[in-house]
Amino acid sequence: MNAHTPLKNSTPSFQPSELARKLLESDDFSTLYSAVMTLVEDAASYLDNEGRAAAKLLSPHQATVYAKHSMALTTSCMRTAGSALMLRAARNREQALDYAVSEVMRTDVLHKATTAIDPRDQMPDGLVRLMTRAEELAWKMRNLANSLVASEEKAENAVHSAMANLKLAFGVRYN
């Protein structure tokens, strides 16, 4: 094996950004956390009650599609909720911030979108609404998670940039 070839089981380490703690302590995170937990409750309630009744009215093909989408919804909710819980633990200092960020960045919520519903399958409106909410919240969680990670690129020095612009504009040399 080549010395430059990464090991198959090695996983990248994600470091929190300088603003990660402030982002987690913000009202925006609290709002996202509440929305995710509400979605989990709403999805469970729908699938156990209205959704079960609606599924009984579907054709065999539609029932199969419904089952696929209800499993995707449940999986999406659990992935997003798991990430939200991990980040809440970091916010509450029950978990190390760097560990929480690394774990969230490794979750499937960041990589797998909820399966889109084909309108021709005529799924119940409740399922469609929940799938849409799940996708929106997963998208928000992906954005938040990406904001929590430190960039490997060094920020450009604003003073050096301004000096370079002056040099270009006036042909002046600053050393």
Side-chain angles (χ1 to χ4, degrees):
M1 179 155 101
N2 184 332
H4 298 289
T5 306
L7 297 173
K8 287 184 181 179
N9 292 332
S10 69
T11 54
S13 175
F14 297 98
Q15 294 301 313
S17 70
E18 292 178 24
L19 296 175
R21 173 97 24 224
K22 288 185 184 212
L23 285 170
L24 292 180
E25 292 172 353
S26 73
D27 288 341
D28 289 342
F29 175 72
S30 297
T31 300
L32 177 59
Y33 178 84
S34 293
V36 168
M37 294 305 141
T38 300
L39 172 67
V40 170
E41 291 174 10
D42 291 350
S45 176
Y46 174 81
L47 292 172
D48 283 344
N49 299 304
E50 293 172 53
R52 189 177 305 235
K56 289 179 182 179
L57 303 174
L58 299 173
S59 71
H61 169 73
Q62 288 174 313
T64 301
V65 172
Y66 177 88
K68 174 185 140 192
H69 287 304
S70 65
M71 286 188 299
L73 172 63
T74 302
T75 302
S76 176
C77 287
M78 292 300 106
R79 286 181 182 139
T80 306
S83 294
L85 287 166
M86 181 64 74
L87 294 175
R88 185 188 71 169
R91 181 190 68 195
N92 295 342
R93 290 173 169 71
E94 298 163 354
Q95 190 66 256
L97 180 59
D98 58 341
Y99 176 76
V101 168
S102 287
E103 288 301 304
V104 169
M105 292 303 292
R106 289 185 185 113
T107 63
D108 287 341
V109 74
L110 302 177
H111 307 291
K112 295 182 180 177
T114 307
T115 307
I117 294 178
D118 186 339
R120 294 175 292 186
D121 289 328
Q122 299 175 340
M123 289 292 102
D125 288 340
L127 179 67
V128 173
R129 283 192 304 276
L130 286 167
M131 294 285 287
T132 301
R133 276 176 61 199
E135 186 60 35
E136 288 171 359
L137 289 174
W139 180 82
K140 287 179 180 182
M141 186 60 69
R142 280 190 291 276
N143 284 341
L144 173 66
N146 288 327
S147 297
L148 296 174
V149 176
S151 172
E152 291 183 18
E153 297 176 13
K154 296 290 181 198
E156 189 174 291
N157 185 316
V159 173
H160 291 159
S161 295
M163 298 296 278
N165 288 338
L166 284 171
K167 185 191 290 187
L168 283 173
F170 299 109
V172 178
R173 229 181 250 226
Y174 292 98
N175 290 329

